Amino acid sequence: MSMRIRRSDMVAVMKGKDRGKHGKVIQVFPKEGRVVVEGLNIAVKHLRRHERRQKRGESPKGEKITFSAPMNVANVMLLCPACGKRTRIGIHVDEKRRRQRQCKKCKAVFV
Ligand SMILES: [Zn+2]
C-alpha cells in the first residue's frame, strides 16, 4: 500500500499514548508503513558504556537518550494545510494526469 503521509506534513495522532496531539512528520518509512512525528512517541534508549564515545570527564555509567520512535501511519491523520482539519487524503488527477493529494474535507489539492 502506498503511503500518503509525507515528510513535513502536520498530523494528528489518533491512537496510543499521544492520542490527540499534533506534530510534524520528520521521517517516513513507506515499506514499514511507519512515520516519525517530531516530539511524539518518545522512547528511551539506554546506552551502554562501550557504545559511547569516550570523552574525558564523562560519567562512567551508561546514559539515557530519548528520541521520537516511529509509529504506525494508520494511527495518524493529516492536518490539511488548507482547512486545518483532520482528514483522509484522496488522490486528485489533473488534466495532465499528474497525481496530487487532495483533502477529502475541503477538496484542496496539494503536493
Ligand atoms: Zn482541507
Side-chain angles (χ1 to χ4, degrees):
M1 191 191 125
S2 72
M3 208 161 86
R4 294 180 178 175
I5 297 289
R6 310 243 172 102
R7 197 155 62 88
S8 317
D9 282 347
M10 290 299 295
V11 295
V13 178
M14 309 305 290
K15 244 182 161 180
K17 63 180 177 183
D18 287 324
R19 191 164 81 139
K21 292 184 183 170
H22 296 177
K24 183 184 189 179
V25 174
I26 52 176
Q27 227 181 339
V28 295
F29 301 101
K31 279 185 199 158
E32 292 88 356
R34 300 179 87 79
V35 294
V36 176
V37 182
E38 189 173 39
L40 301 185
N41 200 28
I42 295 295
V44 180
K45 185 179 181 185
H46 297 270
L47 295 184
R48 292 182 189 173
R49 246 179 299 178
H50 67 264
E51 291 176 298
R52 291 189 1 241
R53 270 182 293 167
Q54 295 295 317
K55 281 186 207 159
R56 187 189 297 259
E58 265 186 20
S59 145
K61 290 182 178 168
E63 61 181 303
K64 289 193 292 189
I65 58 162
T66 58
F67 64 102
S68 290
M71 65 175 93
N72 195 319
V73 71
N75 294 348
V76 305
M77 282 186 92
L78 179 75
L79 289 168
C80 171
C83 69
K85 289 178 181 163
R86 293 189 297 243
T87 183
R88 289 188 300 126
I89 304 166
I91 295 296
H92 176 264
V93 182
D94 69 13
E95 64 282 357
K96 287 179 179 168
R97 292 190 183 175
R98 286 180 299 216
R99 293 161 60 84
Q100 287 178 305
R101 299 187 296 165
Q102 183 174 38
C103 173
K104 291 254 193 188
K105 288 198 170 145
C106 73
K107 306 300 179 194
V109 173
F110 46 92
V111 288

